[in-house]
Amino acid sequence: MSFTEKAKSKAQELSGVARERIGDATDNERLKAEGAREQSAARARQAGKNVKEAGQDVKGAFNK
């Protein structure tokens, strides 16, 4: 995962945290749900990239 991809994912995750907290503070359920969804999407993307990198490492180990 490149630095740019990591930064984008982290920015999306932090945006989700902010939305969720604003929704919590204003008692807005829709905003809280959007924030939680945004955080989940960012974390899922990060996990997918980590799995992909791990697979490439394993493949590289067998090709040596």
Side-chain angles (χ1 to χ4, degrees):
M1 184 179 228
S2 73
F3 176 77
T4 305
E5 291 172 331
K6 286 181 183 180
K8 285 180 183 179
S9 289
K10 193 50 119 174
Q12 183 181 15
E13 186 177 351
L14 292 175
S15 172
V17 169
R19 277 186 185 202
E20 189 173 18
R21 288 188 181 166
I22 290 170
D24 194 33
T26 60
D27 211 20
N28 184 334
E29 293 297 320
R30 191 189 101 238
L31 199 56
K32 283 173 42 176
E34 286 177 3
R37 179 186 49 81
E38 197 168 339
Q39 288 177 64
S40 295
R43 289 179 183 149
R45 184 178 312 111
Q46 290 171 357
K49 294 289 184 178
N50 290 339
V51 168
K52 182 180 176 183
E53 287 177 0
Q56 290 173 346
D57 291 345
V58 169
K59 181 181 172 185
F62 281 110
N63 289 335
K64 288 184 180 181

